[in-house]
């Protein structure tokens, strides 16, 4: 497949134009701003989103809600796919699946979306969410996601 | 399995005490209040959560963000499982998977969580999210979720 | 979307030509023959596959192996999608997810694949596997699956 | 959690007794023998299963059937979890999800199951299936799986 990427390219630096396209699109996501999520890193096929703790993000026991965990994981993966799409295209999540490993507690969550297969139409990402508390990092969730590239429809 | 339930019991009315336990737990979820989600219906093994549209809930094209869709779906399923748990127990999501069928646009999203298997330890739910716009209802997502019952740990 | 189907059409009878295309393709699946699976029903967006019990299909406790359950569920969903595709196209599974509800024991397993969303490129199916033993039917698994329509590539 | 394992222990060598428990259980799986699957490697929290190509394992285009891919992935993950369980316990798959990346073609498929979280009750594995053809290795599928430890029920 023409647009197939090599594992070695994942995480490589990107040109400014692509980084700006991701930043602009992220800034237009009302939900990310409302949750307080921050675009932390944008690389080729790899995007990191951080979410600082706020009581507004909790479930009934006071930890990060699985829905917040899922929302930043889905977003990180979506933009990771988007970095590899042609210019006049948009990204949509087809599906995602999340396994919640441990309650999310700490100062912030960090979601990493990483492309594992980039096809002409579909892209598959692996998702990982960790909680950071001082120097300690603990796994919160792992996921898998499928995305579609909509051509001729600028994002 | 002792706690196996019959399909016919799903959706039956619940005693006030159980309904109140669900309402109290929902009210303690900071994320649901922050998103503006409302607990719409609480029945035996079936919970409905509604989410009115706000620009704070959107992705980059102005529709409901897949993360918001996932968050209310996960919550509806979690509480649907919880209605069938013994009194001194808590619920945790083990994993969930969501297929996004159509962009979520309309006045509100409605997520239905429905128990399909209630075991002593694990419960499986089916999740469905629809968008409501005037009289029209359109499917937004379907999902599947696994939950665990933590005994001796009041929610 | 032009090829969107109505829920009411799912399960409707099909013309002979489409039924034959499904039967021919099923017959070319070496795995289905090797497992002893049978194409039981072919309707519009709905296909049923049966798998009679054999010791060759078991896991270590003597029940149907989850891999056999998954294999017929994936196949039923794949052909359910295929019944709605245009003539010169092929079907590929993008992903599937299975929740195993109860050990599969009985005379045969029956997998039902049912289209819930048929798009131009992607189709989503719900999967259900039940075990039949005399008059009793017990749920074995539920699943969700995404399929892609490859146009211009006869199956 | 007491039985939490460190990432560094995954892949470490195992005592002979545990390796033999896995081999015995694998040998009792009728499906693995029927497919021709071989237990290739058994390490702490990591199991590799190989499946040589046979026409009996194909889908309609002559490649490995997604159901065969799923079956060996599920098995590799199940036994990876099992290596970390106490002696008088059995393993059951709760659910698994597979993304099919490329058609499976080649001399054999190799499925790797790797524990990412080992809890007292639930274990989560990552699954990977690659096709080997001469010196070339190509990714076929990635997956995520949840397993339950049944105590007091020897496998």
């Amino acid at each position: 497949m023409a647009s197939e990427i090599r594992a070695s390219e994942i995480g490589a630096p990107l040109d400014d134009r692509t980084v700006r396209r991701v930043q602009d699109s992220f800034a237009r996501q009302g939900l990310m701003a409302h949750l307080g999520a921050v675009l932390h890193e944008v690389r080729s096929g790899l995007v990191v989103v951080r979410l600082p703790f706020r009581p507004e993000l909790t479930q009934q026991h006071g930890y990060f809600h699985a829905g917040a965990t899922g929302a930043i994981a889905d977003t990180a993966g979506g933009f990771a796919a988007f970095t590899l799409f042609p210019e006049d295209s948009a990204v949509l999540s087809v599906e995602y699946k999340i396994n919640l490993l441990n309650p999310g507690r700490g100062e912030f969550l960090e979601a990493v979306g990483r492309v594992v297969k980039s096809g002409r139409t579909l892209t598959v990402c692996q998702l990982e969410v960790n909680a950071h508390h001082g120097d300690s990092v603990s796994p919160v969730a792992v996921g898998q996601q499928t995305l579609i590239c909509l051509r001729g429809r600028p994002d």
Side-chain angles (χ1 to χ4, degrees), chain A:
Chain A
M1 223 165 291
S3 58
E4 192 82 38
I5 56 157
R6 292 158 200 278
S8 60
E9 295 168 34
I10 299 296
L14 281 170
D15 59 293
D16 291 353
R17 192 187 173 91
T18 306
V19 173
R20 218 169 316 116
R21 277 175 71 220
V22 172
Q23 287 168 338
D24 288 352
S25 188
F26 186 90
R28 275 182 282 120
Q29 293 205 335
L31 184 64
M32 288 301 108
H34 190 52
L35 298 179
V38 178
L39 188 60
H40 183 67
E41 219 177 318
V42 182
R43 291 173 170 275
S44 178
L46 190 159
V47 163
V48 181
V49 173
R50 287 194 168 175
L51 183 65
F53 181 82
R54 301 162 63 190
E56 288 92 329
L57 303 176
T58 54
Q59 35 85 291
Q60 69 274 31
H61 309 123
Y63 305 133
F64 281 99
H65 194 289
T69 304
I72 59 167
D74 171 60
T75 303
F79 285 119
F82 187 62
T83 62
L84 304 175
F85 287 2
E87 282 235 347
D88 67 331
S89 61
V91 63
L92 269 188
S93 291
V94 169
E95 59 87 35
Y96 62 92
K97 182 249 201 285
I98 297 274
N99 270 78
L100 301 147
L101 306 177
N102 293 297
R105 51 185 126 179
E107 284 139 35
F108 63 91
L109 294 184
E110 183 172 284
V112 183
R114 195 186 313 262
V115 171
V116 292
K117 150 94 186 188
S118 167
R120 225 181 62 86
T121 306
L122 297 179
T123 291
V124 177
C125 286
Q126 274 177 336
L127 312 174
E128 204 183 303
V129 184
N130 292 295
H132 290 249
H133 192 81
D135 286 345
S136 96
V137 181
S138 59
V140 170
V142 287
Q144 242 173 250
Q145 181 193 31
T146 311
L147 303 120
I148 190 164
C149 177
L150 303 173
R151 281 152 197 271
R153 253 203 259 179
D155 193 62

